[in-house]
Amino acid sequence: TLGTQTDYRDGEAQTDPYSPEYVIPSGSVPELLTLATLTWGRGLPAGLAEVEMIERAREKRAWEATLPAMDSASHIAKRRKMMDDMERKEWTFREQEIEKLQEVRLEVLKKLLQRREENQNELDAKRLDDHWQNHQKAKEEQCKKIQHDFALMLRKLIAKRKNVMGKLERRDIIEEYTDFASQTYAPLSRIGYFPDNHSERYVVKNFYLDTFAGLCELEASLPDSVTQVKIKAPKPKYTTTKTGFVKRSARLEVDLAQVHQALLEKKNKVKEPKKPLRFLEKVEKPVPRPPTPVLEKPSIEEEETELAVICLQKLLRGRAVQNMMFEEKERRLELIRELRTTHALQEDGQLLLKAEEQMTLALQQEHNLQMDKLSSVENQLAGIEGRALANIFDFLSKELVRLQEERKIHAFVMLAERQRRMREAEESGRRQVEERRRQEEDEIFKQAREGDCTIDSYLEDIILSSMESTAEEQAREEIQRMAVEINDIAYEMESRRTRLQSEEIVAELVYDFLIAEADKMSIREKVRQSQRKHIYAAHQIIRRGTE
């Protein structure tokens, strides 16, 4: 029922909780070791998220324990279905976590936006205040200017009213000099007089003080007694008269010297230690203490009430401590069990431990066998998947090579087709030129036969034929050069193809392959559904007939 408070607490000296070394008995897998990744400051002390993670891990271990063995096709199908359901649940949980994280981020973003809006509002308010202050300053300056103009105009009106009739007044010099507030003593600057303009005429100017030559002349004019100081030694004072009597002043000086010496001795005197007492000494009585306050004795009813309250407090505190102990016991129940297993010293406990150890060894062997079977099945499945993936990748790589070759061949075919068209055009042009030339030759021959042929026409025909032949050769060379350039451009495009373009080609192939396979599966499923209806109807007819 009592408590004490020490000067030092465990919380002031404790840094991080101590994690002692531990030894795991053979064949035991304590659940506590699954939390070894949690350390102080990183998961400990455990919060709501850590508790949910531990509960999910327990549920997953319990679910793994309920998985059927892979010894038959039905068990494999059931296991696959359970794994698909679990994977779907995990994805759902992950989506929920992502949604929670997004909500937290949205809240943070809202707070940041709100803070930015508040800062912007403060900045706008500050700008408005500055603008308002500037307007106020302009307003005050305008008011000062108006007041100054008002005073100026008022002085002008007063000056005009002084001489309303317009009479000429002579200057009264006596009145001006008798009035110390007149223009004679205090002229106004607005009239045109500035008293500080000619202030240098009041400065004292002296030749002997302003120039070095004047200073030298002034020094030479001074007597030697001013520049050369003569010091005379003091004469001793005579304290006695001619008749041999001591003077009164001398006696006063001697008395003052004695008093001064006595004061110095008293000031510098060292305190002597106290001597032991030889006689009785009077002992002073201490000051009597004040009377001790006395409390009034409470009544019996108040004492009983106070005792009842104290008893109730004790009961409540004891019950609270008991509840706390039970809660801590429930929380550390697994640790208590583990400690009991490690510190069991009685024979019955040892026998139970041996039985549990044998049981755990048997379970561990069975678990190892199941894990071996599972690993062998997983290895087989991995081999099958690897072969399937290898075949798919081989097929895709071959398809990629085939597509590349097909594109090259297509490019070559397009170039060949273009060259063929160009050659056909050249051949058609050549045939037209030959036909034209044949017609011209026939015409020339006809004209020559008729006798109308002349030397000029003959030379003209020769020049035209030579021009046509040179134009044909130049066109052929230009066509060949363009074909070579097109071929180089095609090879350069093939060499410049990036990895992204290759991945796009592969993605198109995979997409075509997978979509085609998915379409086949959907068509098979539709056919199976349609056949199932007919099979179900046939079964019904057969059952009715047998009935």
Side-chain angles (χ1 to χ4, degrees):
T1 60
L2 299 178
T4 60
Q5 178 66 44
T6 59
D7 292 337
Y8 302 97
R9 294 200 223 172
D10 293 340
E12 296 177 355
Q14 187 76 18
T15 55
D16 290 342
Y18 172 65
S19 298
E21 299 292 336
Y22 55 87
V23 178
I24 302 173
S26 61
S28 64
V29 183
E31 186 182 6
L32 190 61
L33 290 181
T34 58
L35 307 177
T37 56
L38 300 177
T39 58
W40 185 260
R42 295 182 179 178
L44 292 178
L48 182 60
E50 286 76 12
V51 172
E52 291 179 356
M53 182 186 70
I54 294 168
E55 293 296 331
R56 288 198 305 274
R58 286 180 177 175
E59 291 177 0
K60 191 170 184 180
R61 286 197 295 272
W63 173 77
E64 289 177 353
T66 58
L67 286 174
M70 301 179 67
D71 52 0
S72 62
S74 60
H75 286 180
I76 291 171
K78 186 177 180 182
R79 185 186 182 92
R80 186 178 299 166
K81 184 177 180 182
M82 291 174 68
M83 290 176 71
D84 291 340
D85 295 338
M86 179 55 68
E87 185 177 3
R88 196 177 296 108
K89 289 180 181 179
E90 288 180 354
W91 278 110
T92 305
F93 177 73
R94 181 60 181 163
E95 289 176 357
Q96 293 176 359
E97 284 187 344
I98 292 170
E99 289 178 357
K100 290 179 181 178
L101 185 61
Q102 288 179 351
E103 290 177 357
V104 172
R105 288 180 178 176
L106 285 174
E107 291 295 330
V108 173
L109 186 60
K110 286 180 181 178
K111 290 180 180 179
L112 291 174
L113 291 174
Q114 187 177 1
R115 191 180 303 167
R116 188 180 70 177
E117 188 175 358
E118 291 176 357
N119 295 333
Q120 188 65 31
N121 292 334
E122 291 179 358
L123 186 61
D124 294 340
K126 187 176 179 181
R127 288 178 179 174
L128 288 174
D129 291 339
D130 295 340
H131 197 58
W132 182 77
Q133 289 178 1
N134 294 332
H135 278 288
Q136 288 294 113
K137 289 179 181 178
K139 180 181 176 182
E140 290 176 359
E141 291 177 357
Q142 191 71 21
C143 291
K144 287 180 181 179
K145 186 178 179 183
I146 292 170
Q147 291 176 359
H148 181 266
D149 295 341
F150 169 74
L152 180 63
M153 298 304 295
L154 191 62
R155 286 196 300 269
K156 289 181 179 181
L157 289 174
I158 291 171
K160 286 181 180 180
R161 286 190 178 184
K162 283 182 180 179
N163 192 5
V164 179
M165 301 303 294
K167 294 180 180 180
L168 294 174
E169 293 182 358
R170 292 183 179 181
R171 179 184 176 188
D172 193 353
I173 299 174
I174 297 171
E175 186 178 355
E176 288 181 0
Y177 276 91
T178 54
D179 186 9
F180 292 100
S182 62
Q183 298 291 328
T184 304
Y185 294 100
L188 297 176
S189 59
R190 66 171 180 267
I191 297 174
Y193 181 78
F194 301 96
D196 294 336
N197 286 349
H198 304 288
S199 60
E200 66 274 1
R201 61 187 178 182
Y202 300 108
V203 179
V204 178
K205 296 179 181 180
N206 195 350
F207 170 74
Y208 295 102
L209 298 178
D210 295 340
T211 60
F212 179 72
L215 287 173
C216 293
E217 186 177 351
L218 180 62
E219 187 178 359
S221 64
L222 293 174
D224 295 337
S225 61
V226 178
T227 57
Q228 296 178 3
V229 181
K230 293 180 181 181
I231 300 173
K232 294 180 181 181
K235 294 180 180 180
K237 294 181 179 181
Y238 297 102
T239 58
T240 58
T241 59
K242 293 179 180 180
T243 57
F245 293 100
V246 180
K247 293 182 179 181
R248 186 178 294 177
S249 60
R251 287 198 303 270
L252 290 174
E253 287 181 0
V254 172
D255 293 339
L256 288 174
Q258 289 177 359
V259 172
H260 180 65
Q261 188 66 27
L263 291 173
L264 288 176
E265 289 177 357
K266 189 176 181 180
K267 184 178 181 181
N268 299 327
K269 187 178 181 180
V270 180
K271 293 183 180 180
E272 296 180 357
K274 292 183 179 181
K275 296 180 180 180
L277 299 175
R278 295 177 61 187
F279 304 100
L280 294 176
E281 188 178 6
K282 185 180 179 181
V283 178
E284 294 181 0
K285 293 183 181 180
V287 180
R289 297 179 61 186
T292 304
V294 179
L295 295 175
E296 295 181 359
K297 188 176 180 181
S299 62
I300 299 173
E301 295 179 355
E302 291 179 357
E303 287 185 355
E304 290 179 354
T305 306
E306 187 176 359
L307 291 174
V309 171
I310 291 170
C311 181
L312 183 60
Q313 289 178 355
K314 290 180 180 180
L315 290 173
L316 291 174
R317 289 175 181 171
R319 190 60 181 172
V321 173
Q322 188 178 6
N323 291 334
M324 190 184 300
M325 289 177 62
F326 275 113
E327 289 177 1
E328 297 296 329
K329 177 187 172 184
E330 292 296 329
R331 286 177 59 189
R332 272 79 173 182
L333 190 60
E334 295 181 358
L335 292 174
I336 294 170
R337 290 176 182 173
E338 188 175 356
L339 291 173
R340 284 180 180 176
T341 54
T342 55
H343 295 284
L345 299 176
Q346 297 179 0
E347 295 181 357
D348 297 337
Q350 292 178 358
L351 293 174
L352 290 172
L353 283 173
K354 288 181 180 179
E356 289 179 358
E357 184 177 0
Q358 291 178 0
M359 187 181 297
T360 53
L361 288 172
L363 291 172
Q364 188 176 4
Q365 290 178 359
E366 186 177 356
H367 180 69
N368 291 332
L369 290 174
Q370 290 180 0
M371 292 300 293
D372 292 338
K373 290 181 181 178
L374 183 61
S375 62
S376 62
V377 172
E378 288 180 352
N379 291 330
Q380 292 177 2
L381 290 174
I384 295 168
E385 290 175 358
R387 286 194 293 272
L389 290 173
N391 293 330
I392 291 171
F393 289 146
D394 186 21
F395 173 74
L396 292 175
S397 63
K398 289 179 180 178
E399 285 293 325
L400 179 60
V401 173
R402 185 184 64 78
L403 182 60
Q404 292 175 356
E405 295 295 333
E406 185 178 353
R407 289 194 174 183
K408 287 182 181 178
I409 293 168
H410 182 64
F412 291 153
V413 168
M414 289 179 67
L415 289 173
E417 184 69 21
R418 185 174 182 180
Q419 289 180 359
R420 183 181 64 79
R421 291 177 180 175
M422 291 173 66
R423 288 178 181 176
E424 287 180 355
E426 291 174 359
E427 189 67 26
S428 62
R430 194 180 299 113
R431 288 176 182 174
Q432 291 177 4
V433 170
E434 288 179 355
E435 289 178 358
R436 194 182 297 110
R437 187 182 299 170
R438 190 180 297 111
Q439 291 178 1
E440 290 176 354
E441 289 177 353
D442 293 340
E443 186 68 26
I444 290 167
F445 182 72
K446 189 187 293 184
Q447 289 179 4
R449 285 186 64 182
E450 291 177 357
D452 298 334
C453 181
T454 60
I455 296 173
D456 295 334
S457 62
Y458 181 71
L459 293 174
E460 187 178 356
D461 294 337
I462 292 171
I463 291 169
L464 289 173
S465 62
S466 62
M467 289 174 63
E468 290 175 357
S469 61
T470 54
E472 183 180 357
E473 290 177 358
Q474 289 180 0
R476 190 179 293 109
E477 290 176 357
E478 184 71 20
I479 290 167
Q480 290 179 359
R481 185 176 61 79
M482 290 177 66
V484 172
E485 288 180 357
I486 292 169
N487 196 6
D488 294 338
I489 290 168
Y491 279 116
E492 187 177 359
M493 289 174 63
E494 185 67 26
S495 62
R496 285 185 180 179
R497 188 176 61 194
T498 60
R499 182 180 178 184
L500 183 62
Q501 295 176 355
S502 302
E503 290 180 356
E504 289 180 357
I505 295 168
V506 173
E508 290 177 0
L509 289 172
V510 173
Y511 180 76
D512 295 336
F513 176 73
L514 294 177
I515 293 300
E517 188 66 24
D519 291 338
K520 289 179 183 178
M521 292 174 67
S522 62
I523 291 168
R524 290 172 186 169
E525 187 66 25
K526 289 179 181 178
V527 171
R528 193 179 294 111
Q529 292 291 338
S530 62
Q531 290 178 356
R532 190 174 296 170
K533 295 179 182 178
H534 300 294
I535 292 169
Y536 180 73
H539 287 175
Q540 292 293 332
I541 292 168
I542 291 167
R543 189 178 292 110
R544 289 173 187 172
T546 54
E547 286 176 358

